[in-house]
Amino acid sequence: MAKTADKYFKLDPWSVIEEGFDEKHGKVAESIFSLGNEYQGVRGYFDEGYSGAKHVGCYYNGFYESLPEVGHPNTYNGFVLKNNALTNSVDWLYTRLEIDGETLDLATSQFADFQRVLDLKTGILTRSFVWETKSGKRLKLIFERFTSLVNTHLACQKISFEALNFDGEIMVTSGLDFSIHAEGTPNNWESADLQSVPNVPNTFAILGKTKFSNRYLYSAFRLEFDDNNRRELQTCASELFVGTHFSLKLEKNKEISFKKIVTSYAGKVLKINQDAWTVIYKCKKSVAAKIENKDFADTHETAKQVWQKGLDLTEKNIALTYEKALSEHKDFWKNVWENLDIAIEGDDENQQGIRYCIFQLHQTYHGSDASLNIGAKGLTGDAYEGKAFWDTEAYCLAFYIFNNPKAAKNLLEYRYNSLEQARRRAEVLDCKGACYPIATIDGWENCAVWQHGSFQIHVSGSVAFGIEEYANLTQDKDFLYSHGIEMLIEIARFYVSRAQQNPHTKKYGFYGVMGVDEFHLLVNNNCFVNYLAKKSIDYALKIFDEMQQNAHDKLAEISKKIDLKSAEIAKFKEVAENMTMLQGENGVFEQHEGFYNLPHIDLHNIPREDFPLYDNWAYDRIYRTDMIKQPDVLMFLFMFAQDFSREVKKVNYEFYEPICMHESSLSPSIHSVIASEIGKHSEAADFFGFATRLDLDDYNNNACQGLHTTSISAAWTNIVFGFGGMRVLEPILSFAPSIPKKWKSLSFKVLYKDAIISVFVEKTQVTFKSAGEKNILPLQIKIYDKVYSVDNKGVTIEIPEFYRAKD
């Protein structure tokens, strides 16, 4: 692989540690030290301000701003005309510190003993250093912060001071600042409303308003001081800021601190305007819509509603101390690690890496709100504008199914809640059914790059795959026979309406598409798209038949609602049974028609400074070779592993792996899973290290933009589906564990049928145990193709020779 690691952070099994501050790694460190709790996220920037290169970022999930019209020089039907994007919001950590007229700024101030530590066990970020002032004073500072996983509207900060060689005072400004924005981007906030907070003394609050869509965000804070060390608080405010000035008395060798407890509420969208598609997309009705000049805006909570809800939360938290909030937060993480940890003995780098991945996944989403999804960067940066992609179902969903099934269901409910918008998108593309968007934060297609927004049609199939995976593992028939079947039928409708028939072979396929590879444009019969569409239609037909037998009345109700005709079902079967698949006699699938004729490029001759290629190569150059961005053929071999033999996977892996650039963060884990399955244990281990440490070691040279959050879930997939050999679309949950040669042991746990399955893999044997209520034990699971009954006593099995690492 042409990419290399940048080893900057120190190794530790339970922490990420930065010793000494290197400004060249400043933005990367801000991403790595990001915190979040699904509702809100904050990058690891300096509380006290920094005049050097930085990316100050605070985000609220699903809180987006309407942007001006996309500036296409020429537009055609199907183009996206308007865009919504996650907006950078209020800097609740805002602090400024001054001694003897000197303001602390690590870009200009003298300092020593810098250390920053993210404690994965507790979810707490601390930073410490000694400030050496121009007047000769030495002050040790410790900054601590966390975003509560228990009370998601809550975020807390603590700053401690210890004067090392003097007695004196420090001047402090603490506040809430809406003026922040990433470098090179506009600020999306206008005049905020400052109001007092009755019944909550010493509390400062502000209500921000976005410039274009007039959405509101409430934020308030109060301060806690050590006994006998607080001064009168002086309010300071400006158009986009509210805060307070105060001073603290410092005594030599005595530590003092103050704490900041912040409550925020981001105003919600109450109703999506379903008629807005006529102005969001260029379509046949766009001209008429502009002439009519209707109000196509969504309905949001008003300023009064947001203020009152924020005020209610602030008053609710009045008795909550910093230490109490911290204790609850620590208990949350204690429960996570006790039940769902992954332990690797013999590989410190990957132990740290996989725990970091698990940590970020729990921070990003835990299912508290079905109106939220998982952005590609989570809540760690502005890149991808907070939008969700097909990654949610293809990569993230399995993690939540086996760790938090409620969260998994809510991710699918998010897709159901935007089903009507997917129907409108299909209509704009001259199709029927539901075409889910390649990138969205509000349910509409938000991808203004037209070739991606119009030609990447695999998202609907990814949603269907997610429904099948969830339903098969949870047996949630209530969901499947209501929201699930409605989505499945509409997805099948879309693919059948988009498919076209070859006049010579009479086979069906998809023409003018872009597969998940993304380095090949307007291709015909991409194998991934064809197979995913076929499987989506097949599954819709399977559940249709199942409901005819078991839930006839519900099926009749849904059929009436969506006007489903018997002739459509017949057409579904015809298209699925006659789908084009370009597989040669040697078992290799040609990625798309003409792929074998493309010029070859040696990936190892591409210099590191060329990455990311989108930023450094001419755009059309990317499409002119056989280099692929990420697994395409290998992706459907992974998703539908039960359909293909080990030999088919092996020949396709050996053909496509050498030409994959892994320019997508989603790529290494899939290669690792398949390498493990086909017995290439050394390669599986190498790819796994790339997956778990993609951001920690900045392999793609773009961690500064934010974490690759959805690919972080793929690292978990790598453990459980790769080294655990788990497969989920079979009648019985199955495993075929192996471990890399370097490792001494591997242990992981998954939640399945309300029981926790523990897997402990050693060099020559593997032990399975299950823990849960007596009425659900023992569990029937398949291990190396043999069915076992597993209870809390466990079963220990010798690992077959094929699965033992020798290379």
Side-chain angles (χ1 to χ4, degrees), residues 540-706:
L541 289 169
K542 175 184 176 182
I543 302 307
F544 179 87
D545 290 343
E546 183 180 305
M547 289 183 69
Q548 281 189 317
Q549 299 296 320
N550 304 328
H552 187 271
D553 290 345
K554 286 185 178 181
L555 179 61
E557 182 182 341
I558 294 292
S559 297
K560 182 178 179 180
K561 177 182 177 182
I562 63 177
D563 194 25
L564 179 63
K565 307 296 186 184
S566 58
E568 288 186 88
I569 298 299
K571 187 67 175 179
F572 289 1
K573 293 178 180 178
E574 178 190 346
V575 172
E577 290 173 359
N578 293 280
M579 187 63 67
T580 299
M581 291 302 296
L582 307 174
Q583 187 177 23
E585 292 183 2
N586 62 353
V588 176
F589 290 93
E590 186 176 13
Q591 183 169 298
H592 56 77
E593 290 180 4
F595 184 84
Y596 292 156
N597 297 324
L598 292 170
H600 179 67
I601 183 173
D602 187 345
L603 306 187
H604 297 281
N605 288 335
I606 302 175
R608 189 178 195 275
E609 54 268 23
D610 279 14
F611 300 108
L613 298 181
Y614 282 123
D615 294 344
N616 295 290
W617 279 20
Y619 187 60
D620 68 292
R621 180 183 174 191
I622 290 172
Y623 299 107
R624 302 199 304 251
T625 72
D626 65 351
M627 174 176 62
I628 61 176
K629 176 182 178 181
Q630 58 188 328
D632 199 294
V633 168
L634 297 186
M635 190 66 203
F636 72 81
L637 297 182
F638 160 74
M639 292 173 70
F640 303 102
Q642 73 281 357
D643 294 352
F644 303 97
S645 68
R646 182 181 291 155
E647 182 57 33
V648 166
K649 293 169 188 171
K650 183 175 186 291
V651 295
N652 279 277
Y653 176 92
E654 291 176 345
F655 180 83
Y656 284 105
E657 187 280 325
I659 58 176
C660 183
M661 176 44 73
H662 306 285
E663 187 73 344
S664 168
S665 62
L666 301 170
S667 180
S669 59
I670 301 304
H671 282 80
S672 180
V673 170
I674 295 180
S676 182
E677 183 176 0
I678 63 178
K680 293 180 180 291
H681 301 294
S682 178
E683 291 182 34
D686 290 342
F687 278 121
F688 176 65
F690 186 89
T692 63
R693 303 192 63 84
L694 180 75
D695 291 314
L696 285 173
D697 294 338
D698 199 14
Y699 274 100
N700 279 2
N701 203 27
N702 61 359
C704 59
Q705 299 173 0

Side-chain angles (χ1 to χ4, degrees), residues 142 161 229 280 371 400 429 517 532 600 605 782 806:
I142 302 175
F161 309 88
N229 197 359
I280 290 174
S371 69
Y400 295 103
L429 297 177
D517 164 28
L532 183 66
H600 179 67
N605 288 335
K782 187 186 292 185
K806 307 176 194 64

Side-chain angles (χ1 to χ4, degrees), residues 486-556:
E486 187 175 350
M487 286 189 281
L488 290 170
I489 294 297
E490 294 290 22
I491 289 167
R493 273 177 166 166
F494 168 67
Y495 282 130
V496 170
S497 69
R498 179 64 166 80
Q500 293 172 280
Q501 193 174 36
N502 184 306
H504 306 291
T505 66
K506 305 303 180 183
K507 292 282 190 177
Y508 288 91
F510 296 92
Y511 296 80
V513 299
M514 176 188 282
V516 294
D517 164 28
E518 293 186 343
F519 276 5
H520 298 92
L521 174 66
L522 269 176
V523 302
N524 298 330
N525 286 312
N526 172 272
C527 275
F528 174 83
V529 173
N530 284 17
Y531 199 73
L532 183 66
K534 170 185 166 52
K535 295 293 288 188
S536 300
I537 300 168
D538 283 341
Y539 186 60
L541 289 169
K542 175 184 176 182
I543 302 307
F544 179 87
D545 290 343
E546 183 180 305
M547 289 183 69
Q548 281 189 317
Q549 299 296 320
N550 304 328
H552 187 271
D553 290 345
K554 286 185 178 181
L555 179 61

